[in-house]
Amino acid sequence: MATISGGFSAGLSIALSGLRDAQLRMDTAAHNVANANTDNFTPQRVISHAVPSGGVTSIVETTPPPPKQPPPPGNTNPDFLFPSQTDLIGELIHAILGQRAFDAGARTFSANAESLGTLIDALG
């Protein structure tokens, strides 16, 4: 019984790590879009790594800022600020992919929990 419940527990843990990763991706895309009009804003990216025991771990990294360039001709403002480097179409794609991954993770979690419930019912 311990092996069976351990397998279900691992499955739930893996599904939860995927849900956290997908949520972080959607949150990061929303953060990037919300700050798209902020001067000198550099978008963030989620970096995910597979965990050997199953699942994923995720961190948020800020992309390197663009190189500073001189102001355009005719602009004598010494405090010239550079616009954000946010790609709104790319952020929309990241948000959609995050949503799809979250949906898939939720279905996986639900199926695993349902299977565990069926097993418990069968064992009485």
Side-chain angles (χ1 to χ4, degrees):
M1 176 70 174
T3 303
I4 293 173
S5 65
F8 281 105
S9 175
L12 292 173
S13 176
I14 291 168
L16 281 174
S17 74
L19 288 170
R20 282 197 284 300
D21 178 73
Q23 183 65 53
L24 187 59
R25 289 178 181 284
M26 290 185 290
D27 290 347
T28 302
H31 169 78
N32 290 343
V33 169
N35 289 287
N37 289 330
T38 303
D39 288 335
N40 291 323
F41 175 73
T42 53
Q44 297 177 337
R45 286 286 153 253
V46 176
I47 308 298
S48 303
H49 299 283
V51 176
S53 60
V56 65
T57 184
S58 309
I59 59 169
V60 177
E61 290 185 350
T62 300
T63 56
K68 297 266 185 190
Q69 299 176 11
N75 186 337
T76 58
N77 181 359
D79 298 324
F80 178 75
L81 297 176
F82 296 92
S84 161
Q85 299 299 308
T86 304
D87 171 17
L88 295 177
I89 300 298
E91 296 306 328
L92 176 62
I93 291 168
H94 287 294
I96 291 170
L97 290 173
Q99 178 188 15
R100 298 289 188 255
F102 192 90
D103 291 344
R107 285 192 298 273
T108 301
F109 184 86
S110 179
N112 202 324
E114 185 178 322
S115 296
L116 181 58
T118 301
L119 177 64
I120 290 170
D121 289 344
L123 294 175

